[in-house]
Amino acid sequence: MTTIPGYRLNDPALPPSPVSLRDFEELKASLLFGPDDVAALRRAYDVLAPQVEAILDVWYGFVGSNPHLLRYFSTETGEPVGPYLDAVRKRFGQWILDTCRADFDAAWLAWQDEIGRRHHRIGKNKTDSVSAAPHIPMSQLLALAIPISVTVRPFLAKSGNSPDDVDAMHAAWTKSVWLHAILWARPYVIAGDF
């Protein structure tokens, strides 16, 4: 396990996800996410790992250039909380690597549920003990799946792999990002409606 503050993948103290493994398998099937996608993500790891900081620069540039997104990392007066942005950036960088190497098991599901709670008012700001916007609306949580998916393609294309392999890695990345976003949305949903 990494020593990034607030990072908890494979932490046995995390409560289990309320999403059953059966429901999770059905969700993956609905997303057309299968073994070929897992293999493509593993190949993407070697391409993306050396580019993590450059990817984060693109993503942070996107958030920073959109005041309606930056406010979720800012005080009530609109001042960005630098230490919060820095802490999240470290975890987000690790998330890129984890996305490519995920085991998609019960421990991974528990971590995704924790990440969802950290975006929702029930857990926002608690990990880093900051005073920023207390909640990220589910609409923004889901909408950000698009820029996180689209902006990775140019980085995958730097692999020198064939266009078909770049397409496969990008499709797998996109499905995985949607899988994450859907699971992160669970805390926003009334019990029984997920």
Side-chain angles (χ1 to χ4, degrees), residues 34-112:
D36 289 345
D37 296 299
V38 173
L41 285 173
R42 298 298 187 263
R43 292 191 307 277
Y45 176 86
D46 292 331
V47 177
L48 298 179
Q51 301 183 82
V52 165
E53 288 303 316
I55 295 166
L56 291 171
D57 287 345
V58 169
W59 292 350
Y60 268 54
F62 176 74
V63 169
S65 66
N66 284 281
H68 72 282
L69 297 175
L70 187 58
R71 76 172 169 233
Y72 301 118
F73 299 94
S74 301
T75 64
E76 286 184 19
T77 60
E79 194 65 34
V81 182
Y84 183 37
L85 285 161
D86 292 343
V88 170
R89 183 179 174 113
K90 288 178 184 139
R91 291 191 296 268
F92 215 180
Q94 185 63 46
W95 177 83
I96 294 170
L97 302 175
D98 292 344
T99 296
C100 295
R101 298 182 298 193
D103 289 330
F104 302 105
D105 57 7
W108 181 87
L109 274 173
W111 177 226
Q112 302 323 301

Side-chain angles (χ1 to χ4, degrees), residues 17-30 104-106 109 179 183 194:
S17 170
V19 177
S20 72
L21 290 175
R22 178 177 176 227
D23 289 343
F24 180 51
E25 289 303 318
E26 290 174 356
L27 177 59
K28 289 193 299 185
S30 295
F104 302 105
D105 57 7
L109 274 173
L179 183 61
L183 292 169
F194 183 74

Side-chain angles (χ1 to χ4, degrees), residues 121-137:
R121 71 180 50 83
I122 60 175
K124 178 84 167 49
N125 300 330
K126 291 180 182 175
T127 298
D128 299 300
S129 301
V130 296
S131 294
H135 180 74
I136 298 173

Side-chain angles (χ1 to χ4, degrees), residues 32-44 100 104 164-165 167-173 175:
L32 304 174
F33 185 85
D36 289 345
D37 296 299
V38 173
L41 285 173
R42 298 298 187 263
R43 292 191 307 277
C100 295
F104 302 105
D164 287 345
D165 196 36
D167 287 346
M169 290 187 294
H170 189 245
W173 175 267
K175 292 175 194 180

Side-chain angles (χ1 to χ4, degrees), residues 178-190:
W178 275 105
L179 183 61
H180 284 86
I182 291 166
L183 292 169
W184 295 346
R186 195 223 41 92
Y188 292 77
V189 180
I190 296 169

